[in-house]
Amino acid sequence: MDSEVLLDGDVVTRCRRRVHLDHDPTMIGTPTAPLDPGAEQRIADAAEYRRELAEWLGGTLGADWTEIPREASTEEREEETLAAMCAGAGYISGAQLPLDREGGRQGSVDLLVRSGDGYVPVLVVRHKVTDPGKGARISPLTDPRPESARKDPTRKPRSQARDQLRLAHLVRLLQACGMHSTGRKFGGAIGSDADTVLWHDLEARTWSGGRSVLAEYDERFADRLAVAEAAASRNEALAQPTRVLECKGCPWWPVCGEQLRTARDVSLVVRGDDAVRLRGVGVNTVDELAELSPDNRSGRPLPANRMGDAVLLARAWLRDLPLVRRVPEVTVPRGDVEIDVDMESYADSGAYLWGTLLSYPRDEGGRSTDTAELLGFGTGYRGFVTWDPLPSDDEARSFAEFWAWFTSVRRAARERGLTFRAYCYNELAENRWMLSSAERFAGKPGIPTVEEVRKFITSPEWVDVFAVVRDQFLCPNGKGLKVIAPSAGFAWRDAEAGGENSMRWYRDAVGFDGGPPEDKQRGRLLEYNEDDVRATLAIRRWITSGGVREIPYTGEL
């Protein structure tokens, strides 16, 4: 029997409650959250990237290339795609696959590649698909077929579950219309580097529990289809609201958030599997969780450390506390010479700004300026920036200037017998781009080696203030810089300051969309970056000034 509901491949990595709401006819007209400007920009960037790559591939592959008009209706694109497959076209760009009404599937794909007696799907994605290592099955972009793939001794596949599950969905669509190759089930991905095609073996047992990607997909899709069909038929809902990571950018959060707050649902303080486990033993609300003993070892649904944290988080949430101290005395390593660092990047294209704030704790509070005079470096904010649209070789210049200044301060402190510390808030981003810059620009003037960067970021001189907060506080509302800094008395000058908005400002600052570069947006980005490093400094000063003692201690809960 044909399904009245048709789902695309993204559904298998989507929250089950969102699937329900997307197909519940009673929700038509309900106000939803607008798409974040940053997310809108990423979608537009990805579409432009696919268009540019399709144009290049079409010119390279010549007569074997067939383009399905993207401006045509879905029905017209489906007809043209099927006609091209029946004609045996070598490569079909922008394909709209025939509907699989029996299986409840629909979908389009960036590229179909003729392989043997049928076709295999290839995605074009705006992220990296390989990492340094070995074993990735890749083929050159000039010959993007699975038959030309070889194992690369220098690359390994990057874990991208969403890509693989989307490819499995497309394989099932091709099978439904009789157009998939009868050989091994492969799917390809072209990443942001746009230099090779990575081929995933969708039948290999690489998933959790020793299952293949196709087996994992089939189970997930069957579940989401059942949820959607129940919603469309107005039957009993198979998925109830719960707070998960996806909620942050979900259009239905206003609906689910209100329901969860009204119910005082336990997922407001614990997420994912922990919330599921607590509900499994009858702990459904924050109030019920708060009544448990943090050190109760009998019938405990969570490991001891997580159970204790969950109970204390619930108690803090009930008292509307943004922070609770885990330890009687919160500490953060300090130095005679300190630099706060914050980096700004644009998607996967590069890091365009390294912001720094040099300070001397000995000289704070109106004391002498002996340290500044001894070291010979002035205090204050410095931004090392390139306004050439990324990717650009000028990124190497700005990073080299940052590293040279940064290293000279470290060296001067060491030569004068002073301790040095540098700080960031969540080192993952800064570490990634320091290492990436050293690797990508190796050999250019002033660029450090990867080993030099790695030696620094693994040293005691590099302090992650996010880790300090994570290890010494419980944070019911999250641990982000903009969540924690207000407790330290810090406020951003720009009411719209945020990572997502900065992506839009950056496009205007460099003239990405065809207009002239905007100096106003450049100034806005520099101010935003300066406030980020000052926020990190404010948290450190707050911790060591004693003001943090006003935050309740877990023992008081």
Side-chain angles (χ1 to χ4, degrees):
M1 178 178 177
D2 290 353
S3 171
E4 296 181 1
V5 172
L6 295 170
L7 304 179
D8 60 29
D10 289 337
V11 76
V12 294
T13 53
R14 191 166 289 164
C15 164
R16 299 173 78 246
R17 183 62 180 179
R18 179 174 177 179
V19 174
H20 171 92
L21 294 172
D22 284 343
H23 294 86
D24 184 348
T26 67
M27 299 306 295
I28 295 174
T30 301
T32 57
L35 189 62
D36 185 278
E40 284 186 312
Q41 193 58 66
R42 286 195 298 274
I43 292 170
D45 287 348
E48 178 63 16
Y49 175 64
R50 289 194 294 270
R51 186 196 64 76
E52 291 177 353
L53 186 61
E55 185 177 325
W56 183 88
L57 284 169
T60 300
L61 299 172
D64 285 339
W65 186 263
T66 297
E67 188 85 29
I68 305 300
R70 287 169 169 78
E71 66 277 5
S73 69
T74 301
E75 292 76 12
E76 290 171 332
R77 294 177 62 234
E78 181 182 323
E79 290 176 3
E80 292 200 33
T81 298
L82 185 58
M85 288 192 291
C86 291
Y91 304 97
I92 306 171
S93 176
Q96 182 70 45
L97 293 170
L99 299 177
D100 175 14
R101 295 191 180 278
E102 182 177 351
R105 297 178 180 87
Q106 63 181 359
S108 59
V109 60
D110 303 308
L111 180 62
L112 289 175
V113 175
R114 181 80 183 180
S115 177
D117 57 352
Y119 287 87
V120 293
V122 176
L123 303 175
V124 177
V125 294
R126 200 75 168 91
H127 54 251
K128 290 187 176 181
V129 296
T130 63
D131 285 318
K134 60 180 180 179
R137 185 188 296 271
I138 64 172
S139 60
L141 209 55
T142 53
D143 187 13
R145 299 176 301 120
E147 290 85 354
S148 66
R150 300 291 182 271
K151 288 199 173 180
D152 191 324
T154 65
R155 308 188 198 198
K156 66 179 180 181
R158 176 176 282 201
S159 178
Q160 296 286 2
R162 185 169 178 267
D163 292 354
Q164 295 180 61
L165 291 167
R166 286 176 62 201
L167 288 168
H169 180 84
L170 295 165
V171 164
R172 293 301 189 220
L173 275 168
L174 285 165
Q175 288 177 312
C177 66
M179 287 295 178
H180 191 272
S181 170
T182 55
R184 192 78 173 172
K185 305 299 185 293
F186 284 103
I190 301 172
S192 55
D193 290 338
D195 57 351
T196 61
V197 183
L198 170 69
W199 294 98
H200 294 285
D201 183 347
L202 303 177
E203 293 180 291
R205 298 184 180 276
T206 55
W207 215 260
S208 59
R211 294 193 298 178
S212 68
V213 176
L214 281 167
E216 179 73 18
Y217 162 81
D218 287 339
E219 181 177 312
R220 291 193 189 197
F221 187 81
D223 170 74
R224 300 306 194 271
L225 184 60
V227 168
E229 288 179 334
S233 303
R234 304 191 185 187
N235 293 332
E236 181 180 357
L238 299 183
Q240 298 301 323
T242 187
R243 191 172 69 116
V244 294
L245 288 174
E246 188 182 335
C247 292
K248 183 179 179 182
C250 179
W252 293 111
W253 175 244
V255 175
C256 292
E258 180 61 28
Q259 292 174 347
L260 293 171
R261 285 187 292 270
T262 299
R264 302 171 74 83
D265 188 81
V266 71
S267 68
L268 291 170
V269 294
V270 294
R271 301 183 191 179
D273 290 342
D274 284 358
V276 173
R277 292 176 183 177
L278 286 166
R279 292 192 192 101
V281 296
V283 180
N284 296 297
T285 68
V286 178
D287 306 75
E288 291 168 341
L289 178 57
E291 291 174 0
L292 301 180
S293 171
D295 55 2
N296 181 17
R297 297 181 178 275
S298 61
R300 188 175 57 218
L302 305 177
N305 61 330
R306 295 217 303 274
M307 188 66 199
D309 283 356
V311 172
L312 294 170
L313 281 168
R315 294 178 182 179
W317 187 87
L318 291 175
R319 291 173 59 177
D320 198 25
L321 298 173
L323 286 174
V324 178
R325 284 179 289 138
R326 291 178 182 269
V327 295
E329 293 294 329
V330 180
T331 61
V332 60
R334 301 296 299 265
D336 300 319
V337 180
E338 299 179 339
I339 300 177
D340 290 278
V341 179
D342 186 73
M343 175 277 313
E344 306 294 341
S345 62
Y346 183 72
D348 281 333
S349 298
Y352 64 89
L353 171 58
W354 292 90
T356 66
L357 184 65
L358 177 59
S359 58
Y360 308 107
R362 286 182 178 180
D363 302 340
E364 294 170 3
R367 287 171 285 179
S368 70
T369 58
D370 292 346
T371 309
E373 294 174 0
L374 178 64
L375 205 66
F377 290 91
T379 59
Y381 172 79
R382 291 171 181 249
F384 300 87
V385 62
T386 174
W387 296 119
D388 283 4
L390 296 175
S392 163
D393 278 348
D394 195 51
E395 182 191 350
R397 189 267 315 157
S398 62
F399 176 70
E401 289 181 359
F402 156 72
W403 190 261
W405 176 84
F406 185 77
T407 303
S408 66
V409 176
R410 290 173 62 204
R411 185 185 304 112
R414 189 180 303 116
E415 290 172 351
R416 290 159 179 77
L418 302 172
T419 57
F420 174 87
R421 292 285 188 278
Y423 305 85
C424 66
Y425 202 88
N426 199 341
E427 65 183 0
L428 291 178
E430 277 74 17
N431 287 359
R432 173 196 175 188
W433 286 110
M434 277 194 274
L435 290 167
S436 173
S437 299
E439 181 180 0
R440 288 180 296 131
F441 304 125
K444 291 184 178 293
I447 297 295
T449 64
V450 171
E451 292 73 20
E452 185 179 351
V453 172
R454 185 169 284 116
K455 183 177 180 180
F456 165 69
I457 64 177
T458 56
S459 76
E461 290 185 335
W462 186 229
V463 181
D464 184 0
V465 180
F466 173 85
V468 171
V469 171
R470 178 197 63 208
D471 295 342
Q472 300 184 76
F473 292 96
L474 287 173
C475 312
N477 301 321
K479 308 177 188 70
L481 183 62
K482 291 173 181 60
V483 175
I484 303 301
S487 293
F490 187 85
W492 275 257
R493 287 170 282 180
D494 194 322
E496 297 181 7
E500 295 290 353
N501 283 336
S502 74
M503 296 288 184
R504 178 165 45 87
W505 303 343
Y506 175 76
R507 295 185 67 87
D508 295 336
V510 300
F512 249 169
D513 298 317
E518 296 184 19
D519 288 339
K520 179 182 177 181
Q521 296 295 57
R522 293 183 179 186
R524 197 176 192 182
L525 286 166
L526 289 168
E527 182 181 277
Y528 162 61
N529 181 259
E530 179 180 353
D531 280 357
D532 274 1
V533 292
R534 290 193 181 279
T536 307
L537 174 61
I539 293 172
R540 301 192 293 103
R541 285 178 173 170
W542 172 64
I543 288 174
T544 53
S545 70
V548 72
R549 294 191 183 94
E550 298 176 6
I551 300 299
Y553 173 50
T554 54
E556 301 169 15
L557 298 184

